């Protein structure tokens, strides 16, 4: 998905240079990244503004960057990654600017937490055999919930900030979906 940052950097407007820089960084450093795009399944019929204490929101802005809090799912392989790409995907658009953000955050950032699901391989070994879990015991991706608690994101890691149009159109207009 980093290729979409390079190929469609213009989508990010004033943050286009950040997208290009991350595309280049990903190529040169061979980083292991994941993404967390989905709001936790609290009530998906409600817009993020009605579940303020759970979904990712911009808490504060400084000259150096932003502070964000909240949760996203499904962060596949996140326990092993260097960075998590956080964006909005959903049928319910965000209506308030604090929810309109797309950014990259390091896994070791202060306030970054993961709640990992039990390993399907371990479950198969403990509760049965791989024959009882033929696919999940062999293709375990260790999904997780990402929880951010006042995590600092420097401006160079931000792609969308308080822009409703860009946050709501990230998924259909950046090329992310076809590339993923």
């Amino acid at each position: 998905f980093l290729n979409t940052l390079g190929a469609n950097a213009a989508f990010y407007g004033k943050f286009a240079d950040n997208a290009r820089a991350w595309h280049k960084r990903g190529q040169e450093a061979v980083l292991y990244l994941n993404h967390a795009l989905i709001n936790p399944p609290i009530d998906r019929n409600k817009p993020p503004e009605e579940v303020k204490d759970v979904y990712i929101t911009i808490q504060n802005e400084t000259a150096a960057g932003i502070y964000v809090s909240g949760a996203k799912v499904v962060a596949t392989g996140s326990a092993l990654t260097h960075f998590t790409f956080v964006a909005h995907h959903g049928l319910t658009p965000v209506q308030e600017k604090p929810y309109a953000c797309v950014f990259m955050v390091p896994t070791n950032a202060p306030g970054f937490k993961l709640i990992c699901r039990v390993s399907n391989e371990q479950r198969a070994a403990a509760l049965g055999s791989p024959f009882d879990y033929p696919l999940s015991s062999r293709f375990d991706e260790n999904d997780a919930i990402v929880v951010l608690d006042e995590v600092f994101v420097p401006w160079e890691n931000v792609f969308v900030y308080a822009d409703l149009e860009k946050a709501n159109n990230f998924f259909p207009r950046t090329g992310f979906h076809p590339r993923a």
Side-chain angles (χ1 to χ4, degrees):
F1 73 87
L2 282 175
N3 286 332
T4 65
L5 293 175
N8 298 319
F11 171 84
Y12 299 101
K14 66 182 181 179
F15 296 107
D17 287 342
N18 291 358
R20 288 184 196 96
W22 268 98
H23 175 249
K24 182 177 179 183
R25 184 176 181 185
Q27 289 178 325
E28 293 176 356
V30 193
L31 299 170
Y32 184 30
L33 293 102
N34 70 317
H35 52 77
L37 310 174
I38 310 297
N39 288 327
I42 304 303
D43 184 342
R44 291 191 177 137
N45 291 314
K46 291 182 179 180
E49 299 78 23
E50 291 183 26
V51 193
K52 292 181 184 285
D53 60 337
V54 177
Y55 296 163
I56 296 286
T57 60
I58 300 164
Q59 300 292 305
N60 190 21
E61 172 189 343
T62 69
I66 58 175
Y67 287 84
V68 293
S69 292
K72 285 282 187 181
V73 301
V74 172
T76 303
S78 58
L80 305 173
T81 60
H82 297 106
F83 293 89
T84 297
F85 179 79
V86 178
H88 175 69
H89 168 273
L91 299 175
T92 306
V94 293
Q95 302 293 322
E96 294 180 17
K97 289 182 178 184
Y99 299 90
C101 54
V102 176
F103 56 89
M104 193 78 73
V105 62
T107 304
N108 64 352
F112 183 99
K113 298 171 185 72
L114 294 171
I115 303 170
C116 295
R117 120 179 112 65
V118 174
S119 163
N120 286 323
E121 181 181 10
Q122 181 184 20
R123 180 182 296 138
L127 300 177
S129 76
F131 295 106
D132 297 318
Y133 304 90
L135 295 177
S136 62
S137 67
R138 290 172 174 85
F139 299 105
D140 201 347
E141 295 182 323
N142 194 24
D143 296 333
I145 297 172
V146 172
V147 179
L148 306 177
D149 184 13
E150 292 287 329
V151 172
F152 175 70
V153 180
W155 286 117
E156 59 266 19
N157 292 354
V158 175
F159 305 108
V160 173
Y161 173 72
D163 186 324
L164 296 171
E165 189 274 328
K166 290 206 182 311
N168 289 323
N169 287 296
F170 156 76
F171 200 72
R173 293 197 185 151
T174 62
F176 178 90
H177 185 252
R179 296 294 298 185

